[in-house]
Amino acid sequence: MRILIVGKKNIMQWPENIQKFMNGHETQLFLYNRMTPISIFHKLFHKSRRYWYTAQKLKKQIESFKPDLIFYVSSFFIPQECYDILKNFPNIPRIGWVSDAFGENEKSKADFLNVLFCSDTGYLEKTKTFKSRNLYLPLCADETVFVNHRLPRKAAPFFAGVGNKKRISYLKAIQDKCVIYGRRWSALLLKQHQVHNYKLPHWIMQRFINKTIAPINMTFSKNIVNGLNFRVFEVSACGGLILVNESPDLKYCYHEGTEAVTYKTPTDLNRLVHDIMTHPKKYQRIAEAGYQRTMREHTYSKRLTQLFTILKELKIIPKES
């Protein structure tokens, strides 16, 4: 199949990762916010035509490439103009995958799609009026970046992410010394921890995950309703313990207690981290079970296989594709 992937260039490189794992397919990538001299000119001096120009570029790429499927990644970040041009290609199937919260006003985009995959079951409530077929499809891990190196896990509890009041309140409650990386952290409020106010690249972060006894995760975000973030799957792909706040969607991906552990309050998190430090072998068994589940079901390769199986069952694409 020829597949055109349409997305937004950002630090997560989600569209690029999806293209990387499209084994057996001919692909092209269109990133609507990739800067060119002409797009920069429109952005600075002719904003009303900026997305019109982008959409015309996408239209030309579709006409040239002649894809069998158009795949909109991070669908609702993509401007409306890049959907409107689909009126010119009524016979090409198109799908979307979203991982950020959205409003009902995105209907005008979703109605151009045959299938909309949502990484959070909480998003599905807002898709009831959409013409697209709307399904749950969780995130996953890049198994070429997040790798289990089978190292001794003796390093301190570790957290990486952007600081906010809620996250600070949870980490402040932990009595065992933690190592924290990311922006917007207050070393004064977290005196018992080692705080570094800068973001770690993924390839370095996976080293920390491979060494820490307790890779702490928090899904407190305006973009998450019931779901899991990328970090859940990335930690597990490194063989780390899934240690995350209670999330309704966890049950669709892992068995709580045997493949992952959860906490509800700051006090719960403190007790859990201390128990992990005190009884590491008990939790390493849980981490190993979670790792095996991730390798079976939650890598990019596995997720895209699942996605194409669904599309074939729905007859969006031919079964022989």
Side-chain angles (χ1 to χ4, degrees), residues 21 47 62 69 127 145 184:
F21 289 96
K47 292 183 179 179
I62 294 172
L69 178 71
T127 66
V145 174
R184 303 179 197 166

Side-chain angles (χ1 to χ4, degrees), residues 63-301:
E63 291 171 339
S64 173
F65 184 46
K66 296 180 174 57
D68 302 303
L69 178 71
I70 303 175
F71 189 167
Y72 284 73
V73 184
S74 298
S75 309
F76 299 140
F77 281 111
I78 300 166
Q80 181 68 48
E81 290 86 345
C82 289
Y83 284 85
D84 292 339
I85 54 96
L86 292 175
K87 295 175 183 176
N88 299 284
F89 310 100
N91 298 321
I92 301 178
R94 42 281 191 114
I95 64 172
W97 195 3
V98 295
S99 64
D100 292 280
F102 56 89
E104 295 176 2
N105 58 330
E106 303 295 359
K107 183 178 188 301
S108 59
K109 297 177 182 179
D111 285 352
F112 280 101
L113 303 173
N114 299 106
V115 183
L116 175 64
F117 293 102
C118 298
S119 67
D120 188 316
T121 60
Y123 300 166
L124 295 174
E125 183 66 26
K126 293 182 179 179
T127 66
K128 289 182 177 179
T129 62
F130 294 0
K131 292 180 182 178
S132 55
R133 180 74 176 267
N134 309 299
L135 302 170
Y136 171 62
L137 190 72
L139 298 173
C140 52
D142 182 342
E143 63 267 39
T144 65
V145 174
F146 295 92
V147 177
N148 185 357
H149 295 296
R150 300 288 180 181
L151 300 175
R153 297 184 182 274
K154 297 180 180 180
F158 167 76
F159 179 80
V162 177
N164 57 43
K165 288 183 178 179
K166 193 166 187 179
R167 285 177 168 176
I168 288 173
S169 69
Y170 274 75
L171 291 171
K172 191 176 179 180
I174 300 175
Q175 295 174 336
D176 292 280
K177 184 176 182 178
C178 300
V179 176
I180 301 167
Y181 280 88
R183 300 189 182 96
R184 303 179 197 166
W185 291 105
S186 171
L188 291 175
L189 293 175
L190 299 168
K191 291 181 180 179
Q192 75 273 40
H193 302 315
Q194 185 183 116
V195 178
H196 304 272
N197 264 296
Y198 59 89
K199 180 181 174 63
L200 287 177
H202 283 166
W203 65 275
I204 294 179
M205 184 168 63
Q206 62 90 19
R207 294 180 183 176
F208 281 87
I209 297 171
N210 265 279
K211 294 179 181 180
T212 181
I213 192 168
I216 300 166
N217 189 9
M218 300 182 197
T219 63
F220 307 135
S221 166
K222 63 182 180 180
N223 285 321
I224 293 177
V225 182
N226 298 331
L228 305 173
N229 55 16
F230 274 112
R231 190 65 48 78
V232 170
F233 306 101
E234 292 166 352
V235 164
S236 187
C238 291
L241 176 69
I242 298 173
L243 167 56
V244 67
N245 54 292
E246 291 184 351
S247 303
D249 286 356
L250 182 67
K251 62 180 177 289
Y252 300 120
C253 299
Y254 299 98
H255 295 296
E256 201 279 329
T258 57
E259 296 174 336
V261 293
T262 63
Y263 58 89
K264 188 174 183 180
T265 67
T267 301
D268 291 340
L269 178 57
N270 177 50
R271 291 172 180 167
L272 185 53
V273 169
H274 187 69
D275 198 48
I276 294 168
M277 301 289 286
T278 308
H279 307 286
K281 290 185 179 179
K282 167 187 171 183
Y283 289 94
Q284 189 52 44
R285 288 193 292 270
I286 297 173
E288 179 64 24
Y291 167 72
Q292 296 298 335
R293 180 79 179 269
T294 297
M295 291 297 101
R296 289 197 306 271
E297 300 180 21
H298 303 309
T299 63
Y300 268 107
S301 298

